[in-house]
Amino acid sequence: MARKILCVAEKPSIAKSVAQHLSGGQYNTRGVTGNQYVKNYEFDFNFSQPWGLCSVTMTSVLGHLTEADFPREYRSWRSCQPQQLFDAPIDVEIARDKHPIATNITTQARYARALFIWTDCDREGEHIGSEVRQAAFRGNEMLEVKRAQFSNTERAHVIRAAQNPINLDDRQVNAVAARIELDLRLGAIFTRFQTFALQTLGGQLHEKVISYGSCQFPTLGFIVDRYFRVKNFVAETFWSIKVMQQRDGMEVNFSWRRHRLFDRAAVVVLFEKCLTARFAQVTKLQKKPTSKWRPLPLTTVQLQRLGSMFLRMDSQRVMKVAEDLYNKGWISYPRTETDSFDKGMDLKKLVEKQVNDSNWGSYAQGLLNGAFKQPGAGQKNDQAHPPIHPVNYVTANSLGDDERRVYEFIVRRFLACCSEDAKGESTTVEILYGKETFFANGLIVLQRNYLEVYPYDKWTSSQPLPQFILHETFEPTEANITEGETTAPGYLTEPELISLMDANGIGTDATMAEHIAKIKEREYVMVQTRAGAAQTNGNSTRSGRGGRGGSRGGGNSGRGGENSVQQFIPTTLGVALIEGYDGIGLETSLGKPFLRKEMEIKMKEICAGTKNRNEFVHETLEQYREVFVKTQQQVGVLKAVGHGQRF
């Protein structure tokens, strides 16, 4: 009789897909008592040594099996003071609705020689794998435990993962366990505290739960900060000098090297010196090749940021659709920080799968015919998953509308990565007029290359410049003083917010969209649609005085596309919470990113083996205990801000 191996995936769709590939489609299906979604798939598979030919039961969980909570005597909000939860015991038990799933694993493990874990290869997946291991050990403590290392459900990749299992990474397990404990304690402590404090103000807050999260509050803080920069913005008048020369039937506009000044008298003096000189001289004439770089391979953060910018859906929806595409076997694992492909990956084979598409198939064929370039390498590598890429071809009419848009973006991004940079020629003419320098630029796009398949980037030729000769002099056709006014920054858009969260270490690539969704759900922010929000404001404006604390605020939105994107405006409650905590005078406000960023850094240190889990939890709780004590002492400040707002 063949020896048995129990395989457990993170979700039913992955279990079915892996069973399909390992069995060649020849498997028996059995239901699991108490859960309609989880199935057991039975088949034979020839593993590598020392296992060899084995009978296999492939099953799954539905995410986490366990949940952490305080003992019953602490669960009632009035059962203890919030600060007691810093030291209260924590119970980790099988979640009530997961008992049938855990029982199935325990039962199947009794007859198995080894357990192969097929959870997602990230920190969260590693912790879920440890929960599966614990459930299996209840049935068989002698099990040998391995995990399959995979990033997509393409057949050859799955078979290779089954033949080359690795050990479960308990460092990652410990990092997630620490995060779960801290999120439970800190969320409960500060949620209870601020709810009790603000409910006394009455009105809409009388029965409202005002919840806290160590990632959600800094995320809200970014939005409130931008809100005040918009609200407190004061426009400033500026002046500039514009020079125009007509030549060969074209008007050439020269920009002032100083750009603009906020002193009209100074501009008038400089302008009069230009007029006195009368003639301008060409001091620099440069023509050189230029390029627009192709994009790097796709990470989760970039998928969320660009998806919310171009695909007419928010980041949470983008990730949900990407997960569905992954579960169906069309794309690789969509949660990755890696922005470079391993040199050993056969990328041309992936390109070849796209040649029959009516939209980008001919471009893919062109890459195979000699235009293919090895993608550029970024600076990030999570050592777990490759960049997001298509693993199989699917026709558009086989996908839903959102699935089609996300799949198309991922395919086009991948093909663009495998392409040549766009090539062009830039021309710069610089002139000296009086003692002031002016310049004009021209661009001719010679080879669009990756832009042919990647419409999300824009790069177009400008009007060509007429011929100028170095050191020649000419009298400008027109010279004027222009007047303008600075414009306020826009409210924070979702792409901008994701970039800020990424730069400040708020959440992981896998959780950013969830944190944004949470502050919307909690009614701390409202969402509006801003058309063209991703486009820059241009060179004719400058941020004026304003912002919180009266500093010069503002700034341009990042470059982007033509679709409308979401922008966030904090609600009265959202503003009150951030202003309240900022007003307490904490060394590090809960509305700032620094405490949570430090937590993320320390979790990575646990994963690297340079920090102990218990040490990390103790250090972090002591930091937040200090914050809590001072907040409790200054609770009047929090209430005063609440009184000043109209709920």
Side-chain angles (χ1 to χ4, degrees):
M1 180 178 177
R3 292 165 292 185
K4 178 178 174 179
I5 287 183
L6 173 62
C7 295
V8 183
E10 187 169 323
K11 48 186 79 75
S13 59
I14 298 299
K16 184 175 183 179
S17 181
V18 171
Q20 179 78 27
H21 292 321
L22 297 186
S23 70
Q26 303 298 312
Y27 56 80
N28 295 320
T29 305
R30 300 186 188 278
V32 172
T33 303
N35 190 285
Q36 61 179 318
Y37 303 107
V38 174
K39 308 293 181 185
N40 291 342
Y41 302 98
E42 299 173 351
F43 54 91
D44 293 335
F45 182 75
N46 194 2
F47 291 89
S48 59
Q49 293 302 320
W51 297 282
L53 180 64
C54 296
S55 63
V56 178
T57 296
M58 181 85 211
T59 189
S60 74
V61 292
L62 292 170
H64 284 281
L65 275 176
T66 63
E67 59 184 8
D69 203 351
F70 298 107
R72 189 173 303 278
E73 60 267 27
Y74 292 92
R75 293 178 191 174
S76 170
W77 280 40
R78 300 290 181 181
S79 63
C80 65
Q81 292 297 314
Q83 60 267 35
Q84 291 179 253
L85 299 179
F86 276 110
D87 304 302
I90 291 178
D91 295 332
V92 179
E93 300 175 341
I94 300 293
R96 183 177 302 176
D97 61 337
K98 303 295 179 63
H99 276 286
I101 301 173
T103 299
N104 179 53
I105 293 171
T106 301
T107 301
Q108 296 301 324
R110 290 176 185 150
Y111 314 105
R113 176 189 176 189
L115 168 67
F116 277 31
I117 292 168
W118 288 78
T119 54
D120 294 340
C121 294
D122 56 16
R123 282 200 317 225
E124 213 69 27
E126 218 69 10
H127 191 276
I128 294 170
S130 75
E131 297 170 13
V132 170
R133 177 178 60 186
Q134 188 175 18
F137 279 167
R138 292 193 187 99
N140 183 355
E141 292 183 352
M142 304 302 293
L143 276 175
E144 183 173 3
V145 180
K146 292 291 182 179
R147 81 110 67 236
Q149 190 173 31
F150 67 108
S151 60
N152 65 69
T153 55
E154 190 267 331
R155 181 178 181 276
H157 185 75
V158 166
I159 292 174
R160 186 161 55 248
Q163 299 284 12
N164 298 278
I166 61 174
N167 293 323
L168 202 63
D169 187 347
D170 281 302
R171 292 173 178 175
Q172 293 191 58
V173 173
N174 287 332
V176 174
R179 192 266 305 159
I180 290 172
E181 177 180 347
L182 290 170
D183 284 351
L184 173 63
R185 292 190 188 277
L186 299 177
I189 291 165
F190 284 96
T191 294
R192 293 186 188 185
F193 169 74
Q194 66 191 23
T195 298
F196 292 152
L198 295 179
Q199 278 185 344
T200 61
L201 300 180
Q204 295 180 21
L205 300 181
H206 178 60
E207 295 184 351
K208 187 176 182 66
V209 173
I210 305 168
S211 56
Y212 168 83
S214 60
C215 282
Q216 287 85 46
F217 260 54
T219 302
L220 173 61
F222 293 133
I223 295 168
V224 172
D225 185 65
R226 176 64 71 85
Y227 166 77
F228 275 102
R229 288 166 62 185
V230 174
K231 180 182 177 182
N232 297 335
F233 179 84
V234 178
E236 294 180 281
T237 303
F238 61 82
W239 293 266
S240 186
I241 301 174
K242 175 185 175 183
V243 174
M244 188 271 286
Q245 174 69 6
Q246 284 189 338
R247 179 170 293 196
D248 300 336
M250 290 181 277
E251 290 187 358
V252 183
N253 291 307
F254 288 88
S255 301
W256 193 17
R257 184 63 72 186
R258 295 180 190 265
H259 188 37
R260 57 196 175 191
L261 296 178
F262 291 83
D263 185 336
R264 184 179 185 280
V267 175
V268 170
V269 170
L270 297 173
F271 179 65
E272 288 177 347
K273 289 182 178 180
C274 293
L275 296 181
T276 300
R278 188 178 175 186
F279 289 96
Q281 183 180 40
V282 178
T283 56
K284 180 180 179 181
L285 190 60
Q286 186 178 59
K287 185 175 290 188
K288 62 179 181 180
T290 187
S291 300
K292 183 168 180 61
W293 294 342
R294 59 187 172 159
L296 288 172
L298 187 62
T299 65
T300 303
V301 170
Q302 287 298 305
L303 175 61
Q304 292 176 88
R305 191 178 72 82
L306 297 176
S308 63
M309 186 183 294
F310 296 121
L311 304 183
R312 302 190 301 281
M313 58 184 88
D314 63 29
S315 57
Q316 187 180 41
R317 178 61 183 162
V318 171
M319 289 308 300
K320 174 62 171 65
V321 173
E323 287 276 3
D324 291 343
L325 291 170
Y326 161 69
N327 291 335
K328 293 176 180 178
W330 305 128
I331 66 170
S332 62
Y333 188 58
R335 300 185 185 276
T336 176
E337 298 177 19
T338 304
D339 57 6
S340 57
F341 284 104
D342 186 88
K343 290 291 193 294
M345 282 189 69
D346 189 352
L347 301 181
K348 287 186 178 180
K349 181 176 289 186
L350 297 175
V351 172
E352 186 177 2
K353 293 183 178 183
Q354 301 295 329
V355 297
N356 292 323
D357 187 84
S358 59
N359 291 311
W360 55 77
S362 59
Y363 186 89
Q365 186 63 58
L367 294 180
L368 296 176
N369 291 344
F372 177 88
K373 298 291 181 183
Q374 185 67 24
Q379 302 297 316
K380 298 179 180 179
N381 191 332
D382 61 16
Q383 303 297 324
H385 298 288
I388 304 167
H389 61 277
V391 296
N392 282 303
Y393 175 69
V394 58
T395 58
N397 57 15
S398 299
L399 300 173
D401 188 50
D402 286 353
E403 288 180 324
R404 177 189 57 75
R405 291 205 302 273
V406 174
Y407 180 75
E408 178 176 346
F409 175 80
I410 291 170
V411 172
R412 288 184 179 275
R413 174 75 173 221
F414 172 69
L415 296 177
C417 291
C418 299
S419 304
E420 183 71 72
D421 296 338
K423 303 293 185 181
E425 182 180 77
S426 67
T427 303
T428 300
V429 178
E430 197 169 272
I431 63 173
L432 188 66
Y433 187 27
K435 292 186 177 181
E436 298 303 303
T437 301
F438 299 82
F439 65 93
N441 293 320
L443 170 68
I444 299 176
V445 177
L446 301 174
Q447 299 173 32
R448 288 178 51 78
N449 295 330
Y450 88 88
L451 293 171
E452 297 287 358
V453 77
Y454 195 70
Y456 314 101
D457 275 357
K458 305 297 180 186
W459 201 46
T460 55
S461 298
S462 64
Q463 180 179 337
L465 296 179
Q467 185 174 2
F468 287 87
I469 300 172
L470 188 62
H471 304 309
E472 73 164 291
T473 60
F474 61 87
E475 185 173 2
T477 305
E478 187 178 295
N480 294 304
I481 293 178
T482 62
E483 180 178 317
E485 196 173 71
T486 57
T487 57
Y491 294 111
L492 204 62
T493 65
E494 188 162 17
E496 291 173 324
L497 179 57
I498 291 170
S499 295
L500 283 171
M501 294 172 71
D502 182 43
N504 287 277
I506 301 303
T508 65
D509 55 353
T511 61
M512 288 179 188
E514 297 171 16
H515 300 320
I516 295 172
K518 188 64 69 176
I519 60 173
K520 291 192 287 186
E521 176 189 318
R522 291 172 175 172
E523 298 180 338
Y524 295 161
V525 299
M526 300 180 293
V527 178
Q528 289 184 350
T529 299
R530 170 151 58 107
Q535 297 177 350
T536 60
N537 289 335
N539 290 327
S540 62
T541 61
R542 176 183 182 280
S543 299
R545 289 182 173 84
R548 304 171 74 188
S551 62
R552 289 183 183 268
N556 293 335
S557 304
R559 68 157 300 283
E562 302 159 348
N563 291 317
S564 60
V565 298
Q566 289 188 341
Q567 61 180 8
F568 300 105
I569 301 173
T571 61
T572 302
L573 177 57
V575 171
L577 288 170
I578 298 301
E579 286 290 277
Y581 281 111
D582 285 358
I584 288 172
L586 298 167
E587 184 175 333
T588 304
S589 171
L590 295 181
K592 302 299 181 186
F594 309 114
L595 283 173
R596 183 66 197 201
K597 182 175 185 178
E598 189 174 343
M599 285 176 61
E600 290 289 344
I601 291 171
K602 289 179 179 178
M603 279 191 280
K604 289 181 179 179
E605 291 175 353
I606 294 176
C607 293
T610 58
K611 183 168 283 291
N612 176 275
R613 167 188 167 182
N614 293 331
E615 175 189 5
F616 162 56
V617 170
H618 175 73
E619 289 175 0
T620 304
L621 288 177
E622 289 308 303
Q623 283 181 308
Y624 277 91
R625 195 192 304 265
E626 184 179 334
V627 170
F628 180 84
V629 169
K630 188 161 187 179
T631 301
Q632 194 175 39
Q633 293 169 347
Q634 301 288 325
V635 68
V637 176
L638 191 62
K639 290 184 176 181
V641 173
H643 274 300
Q645 303 287 342
R646 294 181 180 178
F647 293 104

